[in-house]
Amino acid sequence: MDKEITSDSFLDTCLSKCATNEYIQQIKKSLPPDHELIELANFFKVFGEHTRIRILSALYHHELCVCDLVEILGMTQSAVSHQLRVLRTSKIVKYRKEGKNVYYSLDDEHVYKLIDDGLEHVKESMVKK
Amino acid sequence: MDKEITSDSFLDTCLSKCATNEYIQQIKKSLPPDHELIELANFFKVFGEHTRIRILSALYHHELCVCDLVEILGMTQSAVSHQLRVLRTSKIVKYRKEGKNVYYSLDDEHVYKLIDDGLEHVKESMVKK
DNA sequence: ATTATATATGAATGTATGAACATATGAGTA
DNA sequence: TACTCATATGTTCATACATTCATATATAAT
């Protein structure tokens, strides 16, 4: 997305005038299509959960099998497996089978970037307090 | 005939095959502290909701007041205002008051980067289908 | 073939939360 | 002052979802 669509008048008007304001219509049209925004929200939603973000943090540096994750997180195998399914379905992690074990790792570089940016933001906003 | 399978014994066996306990401890220590991961999950959670991501998309290009957003999203003022509070509390948007109006905008560059990376990932994974 | 191990999954349940409705606050205006 | 407009918030309700328990599947070992 490109930043900044400038106008001179849309800011100082409100509801009664905005309803027919061409800039409001322009903004509506400039939004990404709704199915993309739904996908985007679903994508972020997967990161927005404590257990899943812990799994992703653990996988950040290492490929790990399920029982490793169970041990690291201190949770039941079932709980971990259920969350891994969510991560798999969302294409945020990938996996390979090797004998009885299944090894998970982060899917692509977007996942790394998102974690990096998110952590950076969180650390900064913690300092501000 | 009944057999006893304790979860402890299965974990021990798995550990010896997957990773040494020492290695697991090392990974545990390398994880970001839990309060950071909780903050991180909460941060992402805010992006992971349809209405809020639509608000952020609209604010991506323009500072907008509440009634503008109401008009763009086609939702009740109450619903928009409630979600704006969530975004405010999470320091994802900032606001300034001007008379009766309150103007919202994205808080910092991290927010832009996250939306960019997220959208990029979503578009790519849609192409793959 | 039988048993053990590693992982996945279906069902049940309690909790979290988004939206609607009603109402409150607060700033401008007549 | 009273009144309107823009925004915020408390409450209720219905839905979503994370965890637990029980069980299924699949692979390896004996």
Side-chain angles (χ1 to χ4, degrees):
Chain A
M1 282 207 267
D2 299 322
K3 278 188 214 173
E4 292 220 34
I5 293 178
T6 52
S7 88
D8 36 275
S9 63
F10 80 91
L11 280 181
D12 46 33
T13 62
C14 213
L15 190 60
S16 55
K17 296 182 181 177
C18 286
T20 56
N21 191 305
E22 65 178 291
Y23 290 107
I24 293 294
Q25 300 308 320
Q26 191 179 330
I27 291 170
K28 276 189 185 176
K29 286 174 187 166
S30 77
L31 292 183
D34 208 50
H35 65 92
E36 274 183 21
L37 291 181
I38 289 172
E39 287 283 332
L40 185 57
N42 288 337
F43 181 62
F44 280 124
K45 188 179 298 179
V46 179
F47 290 80
E49 205 276 325
H50 188 214
T51 296
R52 288 193 293 263
I53 206 74
R54 287 175 75 209
I55 292 176
L56 296 177
S57 297
L59 294 179
Y60 190 100
H61 293 107
H62 330 261
E63 175 189 66
L64 294 169
C65 71
V66 178
C67 61
D68 290 333
L69 287 167
V70 167
E71 184 59 24
I72 290 167
L73 302 185
M75 298 179 66
T76 66
Q77 179 270 322
S78 177
V80 172
S81 208
H82 274 292
Q83 295 308 331
L84 283 171
R85 183 156 80 121
V86 175
L87 292 166
R88 247 187 297 133
T89 304
S90 309
K91 305 256 177 68
I92 288 171
V93 301
K94 57 190 174 190
Y95 65 99
R96 65 184 180 84
K97 298 186 181 181
E98 187 177 313
K100 284 182 295 185
N101 297 313
V102 179
Y103 290 91
Y104 284 87
S105 54
L106 302 189
D107 186 84
D108 71 2
E109 76 281 1
H110 290 124
V111 177
Y112 287 95
K113 272 204 285 185
L114 282 167
I115 294 175
D116 287 337
D117 286 344
L119 258 182
E120 197 182 331
H121 177 93
V122 163
K123 284 178 184 172
E124 277 184 24
S125 67
M126 280 174 141
V127 168
K128 283 180 191 170
K129 291 174 187 171
Chain B
M1 275 196 281
D2 289 328
K3 59 211 159 145
E4 340 150 324
I5 304 178
T6 70
S7 57
D8 280 339
S9 66
F10 123 74
L11 275 181
D12 289 342
T13 311
C14 179
L15 263 182
S16 61
K17 289 189 177 182
C18 299
T20 65
N21 191 45
E22 194 178 335
Y23 186 54
I24 294 293
Q25 297 308 320
Q26 196 178 326
I27 292 172
K28 274 189 186 176
K29 284 174 188 166
S30 76
L31 293 183
D34 209 51
H35 69 275
E36 273 183 19
L37 291 181
I38 290 172
E39 288 281 333
L40 186 56
N42 287 337
F43 181 62
F44 280 125
K45 187 179 298 176
V46 180
F47 289 79
E49 204 276 326
H50 187 214
T51 296
R52 287 192 294 263
I53 207 74
R54 288 175 74 209
I55 291 176
L56 296 177
S57 297
L59 295 178
Y60 191 100
H61 298 288
H62 328 261
E63 175 188 67
L64 294 169
C65 70
V66 178
C67 60
D68 290 331
L69 287 167
V70 167
E71 186 57 26
I72 290 168
L73 302 185
M75 298 180 67
T76 66
Q77 180 270 322
S78 176
V80 172
S81 206
H82 273 289
Q83 295 309 331
L84 282 172
R85 182 156 81 121
V86 175
L87 292 166
R88 245 188 297 131
T89 305
S90 309
K91 305 254 177 71
I92 289 171
V93 300
K94 58 190 173 188
Y95 65 99
R96 66 185 178 82
K97 298 186 181 180
E98 188 178 309
K100 283 183 295 187
N101 297 313
V102 180
Y103 290 92
Y104 284 87
S105 55
L106 303 189
D107 187 81
D108 70 4
E109 283 305 313
H110 292 123
V111 177
Y112 287 97
K113 273 204 285 185
L114 283 167
I115 294 175
D116 287 337
D117 286 345
L119 259 182
E120 198 182 330
H121 177 93
V122 162
K123 284 179 183 172
E124 276 184 24
S125 66
M126 279 175 143
V127 168
K128 284 180 190 169
K129 292 174 187 172

